[in-house]
Amino acid sequence: MRDFAIARRRMVEEQVSARGVKDKRVLDAMLKVPRHKFVEEALEGKAYQDAPLPIGEKQTISQPYMVAVMSEALALKGSEKVLEVGTGSGYQAAILALLADRVFSLERIPALARRARKVLDGCGFSKVNIRLADGTHGWQDMAPFDAILVTAGAPEVPRDYLDQLAIGGCLVIPVGDRSSQVLMRITRIGEQEYREEQLMGCRFVPLIGNHGWHESA
Ligand code: SAH
């Protein structure tokens, strides 16, 4: 356990702070969440490395630095209602649970949703709500959201995310082709008004669904 805490501190210092992530709440959250619990046991020893890791079903847990950048980009203060698309391992959802008030997370693969539920409960993150669904429609019943974080690469921004964003809220989403994307931040500044920023290049697994990529392509 102690070894993992040391590895976690090094991860935050060397991979996250050193590269310019400053939000203290994000750094604290990453020091707290036991990332090794969110990967398969055989990969535990690699959990704090500077890389994404496989989590089964051809999906990955994002690189720690990318989790930090996306979390910081949402500029959460603690009182927000947040939607994540792509629960995967549940790691990013756990980080969001420490940064915001309410977290809703959508996953399309049953085995991953099940495992994430178990791990999140085991780590004390039962307040994260997970739903098995095609997340390209967002989560209409729970909208509006103060922040929406998409952790899979989209061919374009699904309209439902823009509609489900509260005014003043922001959407962080990788947009591009199937293998590489640009991380975008879109802030809703009025009923019909949005501001768009490009944050950095990135590589995510594809967002698959009705308003995403086709599964077979
Ligand atoms: N945030 C995750 C990493 C996610 S990898 C973590 O912290 O581990 C991307 C995830 O998005 C995969 O689990 C994939 O199954 C899921 N996904 C892809 N398309 C989706 C969709 N349309 N709706 C919901 N989840 C989707």
Side-chain angles (χ1 to χ4, degrees):
M1 275 325 279
R2 226 178 94 78
D3 288 353
F4 285 126
I6 292 167
R8 200 148 56 234
R9 180 159 291 282
R10 285 190 58 179
M11 170 190 86
V12 171
E13 282 168 6
E14 295 170 11
Q15 302 171 33
V16 179
S17 295
R19 291 188 186 130
V21 174
K22 293 190 179 66
D23 187 330
K24 178 134 192 334
R25 298 182 69 242
V26 171
L27 302 177
D28 283 348
M30 294 190 72
L31 282 174
K32 278 195 194 123
V33 178
R35 184 172 161 95
H36 60 280
K37 297 255 168 77
F38 292 82
V39 302
E40 288 162 28
E41 234 176 300
L43 293 176
E44 250 187 22
K46 293 189 169 172
Y48 297 98
Q49 289 182 3
D50 190 13
L53 289 173
I55 54 172
E57 311 284 331
K58 292 192 285 187
Q59 306 304 320
T60 54
I61 177 174
S62 307
Q63 177 193 24
Y65 173 63
M66 192 48 70
V67 172
V69 165
M70 292 194 298
S71 303
E72 183 173 60
L74 299 173
L76 299 167
K77 299 280 181 269
S79 60
E80 296 85 354
K81 177 164 57 156
V82 180
L83 173 67
E84 177 193 29
V85 180
T87 314
S89 68
Y91 176 71
Q92 174 77 69
I95 298 288
L96 292 173
L98 292 176
L99 297 174
D101 180 24
R102 288 194 282 164
V103 180
F104 296 86
S105 186
L106 294 165
E107 173 56 54
R108 62 180 285 277
I109 300 179
L112 294 179
R114 263 197 311 272
R115 182 166 190 282
R117 174 78 278 154
K118 227 169 115 181
V119 176
L120 285 165
D121 285 344
C123 295
F125 294 105
S126 299
K127 78 168 194 180
V128 173
N129 297 280
I130 299 176
R131 182 186 193 178
L132 189 64
D134 171 7
T136 63
H137 298 285
W139 193 329
Q140 182 60 51
D141 298 351
M142 294 300 160
F145 296 99
D146 302 302
I148 301 178
L149 177 58
V150 183
T151 64
E156 57 189 22
V157 179
R159 179 74 229 177
D160 287 328
Y161 298 164
L162 300 175
D163 291 341
Q164 292 175 23
L165 212 50
I167 292 173
C170 70
L171 161 67
V172 170
I173 179 170
V175 182
D177 60 34
R178 275 186 89 108
S179 57
S180 79
Q181 305 88 27
V182 174
L183 190 65
M184 311 275 307
R185 176 166 59 191
I186 299 167
T187 308
R188 188 172 196 175
I189 50 185
E191 196 57 51
Q192 301 296 338
E193 228 183 320
Y194 296 85
R195 185 183 66 223
E196 212 174 278
E197 299 160 89
Q198 300 195 352
L199 303 182
M200 64 171 67
C202 56
R203 302 175 79 89
F204 281 84
V205 293
L207 180 73
I208 292 170
N210 236 320
H211 298 297
W213 297 99
H214 293 293
E215 175 140 43
S216 53

